[in-house]
Amino acid sequence: ETGVTQSPTHLIKTRGQQVTLRCSSQSGHNTVSWYQQALGQGPQFIFQYYREEENGRGNFPPRFSGLQFPNYSSELNVNALELDDSALYLCASSFSKGWFTGELFFGEGSRLTVL
Amino acid sequence: AQSVAQPEDQVNVAEGNPLTVKCTYSVSGNPYLFWYVQYPNRGLQFLLKYITGDNLVKGSYGFEAEFNKSQTSFHLKKPSALVSDSALYFCAAASGNTPLVFGKGTRLSVIA
């Protein structure tokens, strides 16, 4: 059973650029959630995808968008990067029948630095 | 709105002593409660959960947590702390139709 894997692990971008972060879900999981963890803070919910559709979103602007693919892997895209977007981005997968039904399994995260 | 509070930014405990990391929550409906641990530059690792049933939940690495509905608390405990327990601990809560909400974390330092 493979765990949740994320790529890249680290990246540096400049303000105004766009970034794509990738996540491969744990085998057998059909739901993926993305969280932003700023330095010294707890993870903040960005959005969740279930069966390739977004079925929940936190308080993040539309320039944060995502995709879930038929194999349940996922992408997080952030456009027009701002300095405050610097954070650890965590992907988590789970098995769900629609909404939250159990614990999330997290990847190691992608650390984004915006200069 | 759902929320999780971890009132202590830092907890220091001597090795071999019992430890407690506090958590209170606010959710609508029946809560699903979790504890996760994070080591430096790593993702979150699941420790234990309360969904229903016995109020005392046992988890990984000798940790346990007690669900107290009247106090809306879910404190993490361990009878005897190890230096290797030093890490950042997150409490999280959800209900049946809401995403998992995390507290801001408590840094546990176990001193030899």
Side-chain angles (χ1 to χ4, degrees):
Chain A
E1 181 177 281
T2 59
V4 178
T5 57
Q6 293 186 242
S7 63
T9 55
H10 296 80
L11 69 166
I12 300 173
K13 293 285 188 178
T14 56
R15 204 168 40 176
Q17 283 189 312
Q18 179 267 344
V19 67
T20 297
L21 308 178
R22 295 179 175 82
C23 173
S24 178
S25 298
Q26 184 163 316
S27 177
H29 287 178
N30 61 3
T31 301
V32 64
S33 306
W34 285 90
Y35 284 78
Q36 181 196 64
Q37 185 180 15
L39 199 62
Q41 301 296 317
Q44 299 291 314
F45 176 71
I46 303 175
F47 45 56
Q48 175 174 290
Y49 280 81
Y50 169 68
R51 292 185 175 180
E52 303 176 54
E53 294 206 1
E54 183 182 299
N55 73 335
R57 189 176 185 92
N59 189 27
F60 281 81
R63 60 189 184 84
F64 286 77
S65 63
L67 285 172
Q68 186 184 30
F69 300 101
N71 65 355
Y72 301 127
S73 65
S74 176
E75 288 182 355
L76 164 65
N77 299 289
V78 187
N79 294 322
L81 284 168
E82 302 177 359
L83 297 179
D84 285 349
D85 295 333
S86 295
L88 181 68
Y89 287 86
L90 296 166
C91 170
S93 74
S94 61
F95 178 76
S96 167
K97 295 182 181 179
W99 193 246
F100 186 81
T101 57
E103 68 264 31
L104 303 181
F105 295 82
F106 283 85
E108 297 290 306
S110 294
R111 184 164 297 283
L112 171 65
T113 301
V114 182
L115 302 177
Chain B
Q2 298 194 144
S3 65
V4 173
Q6 295 181 242
E8 302 154 318
D9 290 337
Q10 173 102 23
V11 170
N12 298 317
V13 63
E15 188 175 31
N17 282 3
L19 69 87
T20 298
V21 182
K22 296 179 181 177
C23 171
T24 58
Y25 65 90
S26 174
V27 304
S28 56
N30 293 321
Y32 301 160
L33 301 166
F34 299 79
W35 277 100
Y36 284 84
V37 60
Q38 186 176 37
Y39 297 98
N41 300 313
R42 304 292 296 274
L44 276 68
Q45 295 179 28
F46 168 78
L47 276 180
L48 52 79
K49 67 180 178 182
Y50 171 84
I51 303 295
T52 187
D54 194 348
N55 289 346
L56 184 63
V57 178
K58 294 187 183 297
S60 307
Y61 313 118
F63 284 94
E64 58 188 30
E66 186 166 12
F67 170 61
N68 187 316
K69 187 173 182 178
S70 63
Q71 297 185 3
T72 62
S73 67
F74 190 58
H75 301 331
L76 181 70
K77 300 182 180 184
K78 187 174 183 181
S80 178
L82 301 172
V83 171
S84 57
D85 293 331
S86 298
L88 190 56
Y89 290 80
F90 290 98
C91 180
S95 64
N97 60 351
T98 63
L100 198 57
V101 174
F102 286 83
K104 65 179 182 178
T106 298
R107 187 166 301 281
L108 173 67
S109 179
V110 181
I111 304 161

